[in-house]
């Protein structure tokens, strides 16, 4: 089995080996990109549980430790577990609201029990998700990738403003100016002709931005030495998990969202890397997701999922090797056992991360738009699939309280713009491109023809015909055989056949 897998992997771009030095250097970029996201859930949940600052630090270290193990499992892989793609894993933010509600009733043990049980259920249903790959064509993946990038923009903006809304300098000119300066450094270094520098533009800009922040007095490394240097997460440090049915059901909804997002991320990174993503790879990736999520609570961590922001890093740097991400997993593992190193990274000011994040997250959206540019929009409903899915995905960003009065499970699913867009895109693709109960008309919808319509008044001059257009059975069709609608000056469809008079409707 192992030999066959190695043979199948030969020649894939994600299997490129860059050497230990380069792998760990690029791996640091991945860690810095997702560090703020991976420590936010334990900080929020620790505060909600009312534990001591030392115990909050323990939760953070545990999430780093498990995130490292999960990343290694996902990127390096073992038989049946791991997509073997450059995909970083970490504590999912999708379940924070649900876990906060659970912790209010049953404390952290109830949260850990719900995570274990829901992850095991998720592990059992992964074969179903792995068979859905045929329902994720470019019109779906491009939409989801675009929404992933757009949904991350508020995170970058929050970081650029300082991340703490209660701080006196939140949103100050100095914070936003530091973010803008970091952004400028990223762009300038990306333009450098030396490949090593341009590929490390994100890391170098963060280093330079942090140095400038220190000079300006906007960062403080004085507390790095406070606390233990070495600590290994202990099993069941917060007590034995408890299992509540309602809590498990709530977290299982979160798991469904997580599986949807991870499927989208696997397809997204496969598209960016330029490699084939089969049903088997999706299944192996989802199993790694759920297996690491089931083990995480034993070491005081939470549900694991793929990190979308690191997909952007793969796109912007062009470093596609999965071994780079594996090196990043090793670094996370070390950070989880060496809290002092974690405190060094934590000292990087958020405005610096925000400036770099604008480029990273924007690159994700741009990758989605690039994928959508390959979609055929003539004579079908693909345009309305994209429009409705992006619109639904943007609702939580434009109006975070939109689902406030709905049942909790509705908010859990649709409060994530990524999962909302993914679900809508998949369902609409099924409805319009797979379920065809009857023969569609030649002009079923304005959306089906929104990209190209010929004006009948100009038809005789052939000024609107394009290369590849031809006449079939007296009607105009494009290079791909799709009928090209003809309309009059008022926009009404004209049923036109060459050699006959037009009939307007």
């Amino acid at each position: 089995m192992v030999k066959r897998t190695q043979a199948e992997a030969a020649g894939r771009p994600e299997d490129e080996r860059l050497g230990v030095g380069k792998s760990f250097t690029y791996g640091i970029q991945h860690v810095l990109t997702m560090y703020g996201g991976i420590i936010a859930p334990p900080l929020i949940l620790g505060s909600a549980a009312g534990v001591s600052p030392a115990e909050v630090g323990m939760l953070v270290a545990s999430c780093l430790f498990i995130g490292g193990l999960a990343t290694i499992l996902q990127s390096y892989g073992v038989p049946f577990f791991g997509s073997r793609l450059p995909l970083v894993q970490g504590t999912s933010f999708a379940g924070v609201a649900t876990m906060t509600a659970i912790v209010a009733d049953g404390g952290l043990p109830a949260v850990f029990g719900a995570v274990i049980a829901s992850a095991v259920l998720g592990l059992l249903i992964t074969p179903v998700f792995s068979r859905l790959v045929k329902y994720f064509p470019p019109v779906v993946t491009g939409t989801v990738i675009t929404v992933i990038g757009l949904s991350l923009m508020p995170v970058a903006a929050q970081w650029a403003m300082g991340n703490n809304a209660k701080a006196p300098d939140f949103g100050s000119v100095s914070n936003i100016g530091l973010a803008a300066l970091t952004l400028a450094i990223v762009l300038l270094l990306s333009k450098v002709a030396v490949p090593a520098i341009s590929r490390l533009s994100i890391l170098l800009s963060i280093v330079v931005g942090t140095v400038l922040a220190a000079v300006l007095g906007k960062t403080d490394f004085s507390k790095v030495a406070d606390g233990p240097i070495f600590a290994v997460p202990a099993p069941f440090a917060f007590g034995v998990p408890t299992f509540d049915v309602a809590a498990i059901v709530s977290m299982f909804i979160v798991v469904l969202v997580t599986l949807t997002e991870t499927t989208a991320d696997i397809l997204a990174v496969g598209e960016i890397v330029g490699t084939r993503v089969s049903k088997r790879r999706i299944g192996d990736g989802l199993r790694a997701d759920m297996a690491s999520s089931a083990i995480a609570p034993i070491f005081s961590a939470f549900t694991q999922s793929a990190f979308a922001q690191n997909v952007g890093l793969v796109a912007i740097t062009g470093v596609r090797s999965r071994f780079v991400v594996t090196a990043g997993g090793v670094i996370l593992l070390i950070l989880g056992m060496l809290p002092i190193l974690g405190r060094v990274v934590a000292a990087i000011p958020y405005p610096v991360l925000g400036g770099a994040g604008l480029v990273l997250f924007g690159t994700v959206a741009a990758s989605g738009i690039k994928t959508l540019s390959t979609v055929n929009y003539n004579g079908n409903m693909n345009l309305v699939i994209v429009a409705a899915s992006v619109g639904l995905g943007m609702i939580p960003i434009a109006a975070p309280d939109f689902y406030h009065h709905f049942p909790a499970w509705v908010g859990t699913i649709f409060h994530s713009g990524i999962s909302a867009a993914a679900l809508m895109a998949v369902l609409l693709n099924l409805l319009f491109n797979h379920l065809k109960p009857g023969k569609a008309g030649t002009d079923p919808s304005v959306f089906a023809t929104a990209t190209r319509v010929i004006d009948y008044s100009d038809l005789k001059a052939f000024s609107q015909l394009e290369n590849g257009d031809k006449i079939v059975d007296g009607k105009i069709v494009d290079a791909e055989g799709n009928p090209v609608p003809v309309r009059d000056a008022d926009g009404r469809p004209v049923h036109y056949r060459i050699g006959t008079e037009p009939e307007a409707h």
Side-chain angles (χ1 to χ4, degrees), residues 92-96 98 118 122 125 129 136 144 148 249-265 286 289-290 303-306 408-423:
S92 173
F93 207 89
V96 169
T98 300
S118 61
I125 67 171
F129 271 81
F136 283 81
V144 174
I148 288 173
V249 171
S250 297
M251 279 307 299
F252 182 63
I253 295 174
V254 173
V255 163
L256 293 176
V257 173
T258 301
L259 287 172
T260 303
E261 291 185 350
T262 299
T263 299
D265 287 333
L286 295 179
D289 220 26
M290 292 297 99
T303 307
Q304 302 294 297
S305 69
W409 64 269
V410 175
T412 300
I413 295 175
F414 292 101
H415 188 69
S416 167
I418 299 170
S419 59
L423 290 172

Side-chain angles (χ1 to χ4, degrees), residues 63 130 146 201 208 230 241 308 362 470:
C63 288
S130 64
T146 301
S201 59
V208 174
F230 181 84
K470 53 188 176 182

Side-chain angles (χ1 to χ4, degrees), residues 13 20 47 50 85 87 89 94 130 141 159 172 219 222 281 297 310 328 338 363 387 394 432 443 485 488 490 503 505:
V20 175
S47 175
L85 285 166
L87 206 60
Q89 298 284 120
S130 64
T141 57
W159 285 353
S172 64
T219 187
S222 63
R281 291 187 87 173
N310 292 85
L338 296 173
T363 302
M394 289 297 96
F432 294 134
D443 191 20
D488 63 17
D490 296 323
E503 180 183 354
H505 294 274

Side-chain angles (χ1 to χ4, degrees), residues 163-221:
N163 201 54
N164 183 4
K166 296 181 180 179
D169 64 343
F170 180 73
S172 64
V173 174
S174 60
N175 278 350
I176 295 176
L178 180 58
L181 186 59
T182 305
L183 172 61
I185 295 171
V186 173
L187 298 176
L188 289 173
L189 293 179
S190 298
K191 187 65 176 176
V192 174
V194 181
I197 294 178
S198 61
R199 286 189 171 189
L200 288 173
S201 59
I202 299 296
L203 174 60
L204 294 175
S205 67
I206 290 175
V207 172
V208 174
T210 301
V211 171
L212 291 173
V215 173
L216 297 172
K218 297 190 70 64
T219 187
D220 183 12
F221 289 93

